[in-house]
Amino acid sequence: MLTRREALLGSVLTAAAVATIGAMPTAASAKDVAGLPREKVTLVAPPFVHAHDQVAKGGPKVVEFTMKIEEKPVVIDADGTQLNAMTYNGSIPGPLMVVHEGDYLELTLINPDTNTLAHNIDFHAATGALGGGALTLINPGEQVTLRFKATRAGTFVYHCAPGGAMIPWHVVSGMSGTVMVLPRDGLKDDKGRPVRYDRIYYVGENDFYIPRDDQGKFKKYDSAGDNYDDTVKVMRGLIPTHVVFNGKAGSLTGEHAMKAKVGETVLIIHSQANRDTRPHLIGGHGDFVWEQGKFANPPARDLETWFIRGGSAGAALYTFLQPGVYAYVNHNLIEAVELGATAHFTVDGGSWNDDLMMQVEAPKAIAS
């Protein structure tokens, strides 16, 4: 069992933090940044995304975000299985943060004294050792502010990385999210022509490793640190007990399904901080897909399934042409059906187009 004392002793990042702080440049760049306009953004829980401009207005700015770390139990399936979750802002995945290339992302990260563990944040979008992980390591009762320049356009994972075995444990306990850095002039298709989206949704895929008792039932624990030893043993088997979207099996189905209308173009951001995955929209396609998540590269066209590498996020754009319910799955269908990686889009409006699909003849007995 991981004790509070052990958690608060820090990690290998402590020495790295001291070294990194000592090596930081002078305040000249900070003085330059001080003259830029600032925008405070209130984050929203996935699959939704805070309001943002698709094309930047004016020059670079400092975009300010605040995120609070929450350690809390989360039910992850219909059977009541409990994950001792670690979260950014209370959601799994953490919120999507949107800026434009050339902007500065400034995050205040808060670790309330009601938590029991040290946490930090590693931004794959950032340039600098450990992605800011050494500069953001905070114990319960502390907060820290980090700023980095968004120099590359695309979708990028962020996650907790406090050092050693703590890194995968915190990630598979829910601590990951995504930053989207849009080109200043917006997204472009494979021919370099502007494309826009009517709606945007963020789907974060997580693999969970819940320990079982001697009877094979999933165990529950009192606090975030209590499950450490048992969970690490399950993690090392590399076989997840759950693979889910947005923190829970069924979290994006039924009344929580993502919504769209016929004729609307939807941008889907999909992240997986730990394992490879293969998103697929049943009955639809990826009109344009930034499979590697980098908007400087032209998107692929007309994909049926796309590949998201572990530790990355990608983006897919699709215009819905028919009404109905569309399943959005990890096309490892065992993980989709048996472990939970399924979501739904509910598409309304318009009329059914028989030219695109129709039942020519209803089921009947085989003709003799």
Side-chain angles (χ1 to χ4, degrees):
M1 180 185 299
L2 182 72
T3 67
R4 180 180 175 88
R5 172 177 167 74
E6 289 169 335
L8 298 183
L9 283 176
S11 66
V12 295
L13 286 182
T14 304
V18 174
T20 304
I21 292 170
M24 287 183 69
T26 62
S29 61
K31 182 179 179 181
D32 295 337
V33 173
L36 294 177
R38 287 179 167 265
E39 178 185 1
K40 290 182 181 289
V41 172
T42 300
L43 293 167
V44 299
F48 304 107
V49 181
H50 65 82
H52 59 274
D53 294 316
Q54 295 185 40
V55 175
K57 297 177 180 176
K61 59 188 175 183
V62 180
V63 186
E64 302 176 32
F65 301 95
T66 299
M67 277 201 314
K68 183 184 294 185
I69 296 163
E70 292 186 44
E71 300 169 3
K72 63 180 184 179
V74 173
V75 174
I76 60 172
D77 61 24
D79 298 323
T81 304
Q82 179 178 297
L83 170 74
N84 274 33
M86 309 177 203
T87 73
Y88 291 113
N89 248 36
S91 67
I92 302 176
L96 182 72
M97 291 180 264
V98 183
V99 298
H100 287 88
E101 189 173 4
D103 287 344
Y104 291 83
L105 189 157
E106 187 170 289
L107 174 70
T108 297
L109 186 66
I110 301 170
N111 191 359
D113 59 11
T114 50
N115 290 336
T116 61
L117 301 170
H119 298 283
N120 69 350
I121 191 164
D122 167 4
F123 283 106
H124 290 195
T127 302
L130 302 176
L135 300 175
T136 56
L137 185 63
I138 47 176
N139 287 319
E142 296 178 338
Q143 70 177 54
V144 66
T145 301
L146 177 79
R147 183 178 65 235
F148 70 87
K149 188 174 185 177
T151 60
R152 299 168 190 267
T155 52
F156 301 84
V157 161
Y158 65 80
H159 62 88
C160 194
M166 292 284 179
I167 299 173
W169 178 46
H170 284 224
V171 170
V172 302
S173 296
M175 293 197 79
S176 66
T178 295
V179 170
M180 181 167 71
V181 183
L182 287 168
R184 298 202 71 79
D185 55 354
L187 298 180
K188 303 289 179 64
D189 67 13
D190 59 320
K191 304 297 184 185
R193 299 169 298 199
V195 293
R196 296 183 62 86
Y197 46 91
D198 300 300
R199 299 176 188 251
I200 178 173
Y201 289 110
Y202 173 34
V203 178
E205 184 173 336
N206 294 86
D207 46 315
F208 295 141
Y209 302 79
I210 310 298
R212 298 178 186 267
D213 62 21
D214 293 338
Q215 285 72 47
K217 296 181 179 179
F218 290 120
K219 298 174 69 173
K220 292 185 178 181
Y221 300 85
D222 292 332
S223 68
D226 292 341
N227 66 319
Y228 175 74
D229 289 337
D230 290 346
T231 302
V232 168
K233 291 175 183 176
V234 181
M235 283 164 41
R236 287 174 179 164
L238 301 180
I239 300 175
T241 58
H242 299 73
V243 179
V244 303
F245 294 157
N246 289 30
K248 178 182 179 180
S251 65
L252 298 175
T253 62
E255 64 180 19
H256 301 295
M258 297 172 283
K259 292 177 171 50
K261 294 184 181 300
V262 171
E264 287 187 331
T265 298
V266 177
L267 183 66
I268 307 167
I269 308 301
H270 193 117
S271 70
Q272 225 301 5
N274 198 56
R275 300 171 78 241
D276 299 342
T277 186
R278 298 151 185 82
H280 173 80
L281 180 64
I282 300 176
H285 303 88
D287 291 341
F288 299 104
V289 180
W290 294 267
E291 195 174 52
Q292 298 169 342
K294 304 304 166 273
F295 298 137
N297 303 327
R301 290 192 56 177
D302 305 329
L303 297 191
E304 56 183 316
T305 300
W306 40 103
F307 181 69
I308 304 296
R309 298 157 174 79
S312 72
L317 199 71
Y318 180 64
T319 301
F320 284 96
L321 303 177
Q322 299 271 48
V325 176
Y326 293 71
Y328 179 79
V329 301
N330 169 343
H331 213 291
N332 178 327
L333 294 177
I334 301 166
E335 296 184 353
V337 176
E338 296 292 332
L339 300 188
T342 297
H344 288 157
F345 281 93
T346 302
V347 181
D348 299 320
S351 56
W352 185 264
N353 184 344
D354 284 343
D355 186 50
L356 290 174
M357 180 190 289
M358 68 174 291
Q359 185 184 60
V360 177
E361 189 173 90
K364 65 179 183 179
I366 298 173
S368 59

